[in-house]
Each structure stands twice: as C-alpha cells, then as structure tokens.
Amino acid sequence: MKNLLKNVSLVILLLKMCYVFGQEVDFKKIIVIDPGHGGKDSGAIGIKGIREKDVVLQVAREILKLNEELENPHAIYLTRYNDTLISLSDRTQLVKALKVDLFISLHCNHSDNPNARGVEVFVTNQQSDYAEDLVWLAYKLQAALNKQLGFESRGVKFANFHMLRETAGFVPGMLLELGFLSNGDENEYLLKHKSMEALALVIWDSLIENLGSYERVGD
C-alpha cells in the first residue's frame, strides 16, 4: 500500500521547532527560487482546476516568509513574485548575474496515469563542476520530503532542461517536481494552504542545512 501524506499540522509544528532553534546561522547564502510558469502559462492543471503556476508561487512565497523571520536573513530572490510570465532567458540571466550559491526551479508533475505519485529532483546532464554537490543536495532534499511529509521518492534524475543546461557552467541548480496534480491524494494535499507552509519549511530547512557544507566554485 502506498504511503499516505503525513498530517500537515503536526509536521509544521515539529519543523518550526527545528527552525526556531537553528535559525542563528553564521553564514549567508544567495539563493534564487524559480516558480515555474506564470501568466498565460498555467503549467499542469490538476483535479478541481488546481494550477501548477499557483502552487509553486505559493510555496516560493512561503520560503521568502521564512527567510524574513531570520535575524540575519539570506539573500533570496524569486524569478517572479506574482502571476506573470517571465521568459526562460530572463530567468537564466538573473541566476547568472547574481552568482548564486544555488537556484531551484519549482514545478508540479502530471501524468496520464492517475496512480503516478511522488517527488523527483532533476539536475543537469551537462558537465559541471557542481555535479557531485548537486546530486548530494538533491538526494538530501528528496529524502527530507519523504521523511517529513511522506512523499514517495522517484529518484534524482539528469535532464537537459533549459534552466539547468544554460546555468550548468555558472551556478549549481536543480529542478524540483512537487508531486502529481493528476494524482488524487497529492492533488488534494496541494490544495491546502497548510501544505504549502509544510513544503516550504521542508525545502527551506533542507537547503539551508546542506548548503552550509560546501562552498560555491570560485569562492
């Protein structure tokens, strides 16, 4: 039997405790979060009309809120802050210009198979000085989403997506698929605001914790 997504309220409570106790950090990171799609590009559309562009933007905004609660916040930027369509080239240029420690592009999955479920993380299939660190970070993130929220892990995969390909030689980046809007359980989960908060907490905690263990090439 497939694992059920865990109780959101309990997860948020536990994660906030870890977050508060660990928020005094002695390093600052530059992170770009890329909420996929936007504007006329809705991305995947799930059951009950839920739209990929709305889910990923809400998660990104929740991560920004967490960062703002820090006494010494990290430099976190979004490629879009509202429901607008930003070209892939403009998103790429922002990532390159900021010389970030990490960028992560947020998406949701969709399949003709209603039983398809789980999260997966993509990293570039191009040669990159960041390859080993990225794969390690991706596995850590996926493991955290599985352990804390109950999402099944579909594995870390290599791809030639534009955002990954065009930034491979400049900055470390990954693309995260936050479950399937075509799956009944995961679609229902992603309809809830509390779920957005829980996802943001897990992503934030995993990235900040594990980013502290390596330095960007050239530092």
Side-chain angles (χ1 to χ4, degrees), residues 2-94:
K2 297 185 180 298
N3 294 331
L4 295 177
L5 295 173
K6 296 184 179 178
N7 182 277
V8 174
S9 298
L10 177 59
V11 169
I12 290 177
L13 176 61
L14 293 174
L15 285 172
K16 281 189 174 179
M17 290 174 64
C18 297
Y19 168 72
V20 170
F21 290 131
Q23 64 178 315
E24 292 187 5
V25 291
D26 56 1
F27 61 92
K28 292 184 67 174
K29 296 295 182 181
I30 301 175
I31 301 172
V32 167
I33 301 173
D34 172 41
H37 308 284
K40 63 181 181 181
D41 179 9
S42 297
I45 299 178
I47 306 167
K48 298 182 181 179
I50 184 174
R51 300 180 298 185
E52 178 181 3
K53 67 173 185 177
D54 298 328
V55 173
V56 295
L57 180 59
Q58 190 172 350
V59 172
R61 286 173 171 171
E62 292 298 330
I63 294 174
L64 275 184
K65 288 180 183 179
L66 291 174
N67 187 60
E68 291 167 358
E69 293 176 11
L70 288 176
E71 182 177 343
N72 185 31
H74 300 280
I76 296 185
Y77 305 90
L78 304 187
T79 56
R80 65 181 180 96
Y81 290 83
N82 46 45
D83 186 18
T84 55
L85 179 60
I86 308 298
S87 70
L88 291 177
S89 60
D90 285 343
R91 297 179 198 228
T92 302
Q93 288 304 313
L94 173 65

Side-chain angles (χ1 to χ4, degrees), residues 84-206:
T84 55
L85 179 60
I86 308 298
S87 70
L88 291 177
S89 60
D90 285 343
R91 297 179 198 228
T92 302
Q93 288 304 313
L94 173 65
V95 170
K96 290 180 179 179
L98 291 174
K99 298 180 180 179
V100 302
D101 293 285
L102 178 74
F103 93 85
I104 178 168
S105 188
L106 301 178
H107 291 264
C108 294
N109 239 325
H110 195 281
S111 174
D112 291 335
N113 177 8
N115 294 318
R117 60 192 299 136
V119 296
E120 55 192 356
V121 187
F122 291 89
V123 298
T124 181
N125 63 0
Q126 306 293 311
Q127 184 175 356
S128 171
D129 292 330
Y130 311 105
E132 291 185 9
D133 285 329
L134 274 174
V135 171
W136 183 81
L137 284 168
Y139 272 113
K140 285 286 187 178
L141 176 56
Q142 195 168 114
L145 290 166
N146 171 260
K147 180 179 179 180
Q148 301 291 349
L149 298 180
F151 278 97
E152 292 185 15
S153 297
R154 295 175 63 88
V156 175
K157 302 178 180 179
F158 297 89
N160 194 38
F161 298 140
H162 176 94
M163 290 293 290
L164 300 179
R165 179 182 68 249
E166 297 302 316
T167 59
F170 300 90
V171 298
M174 63 179 70
L175 185 148
L176 171 62
E177 294 278 6
L178 290 168
F180 283 77
L181 298 182
S182 50
N183 178 275
D185 291 337
E186 293 184 350
N187 184 92
E188 191 68 26
Y189 180 84
L190 293 170
L191 282 170
K192 302 172 184 176
H193 180 73
K194 287 292 185 181
S195 299
M196 303 300 101
E197 294 179 334
L199 281 165
L201 276 165
V202 173
I203 295 169
W204 163 261
D205 187 62
S206 178

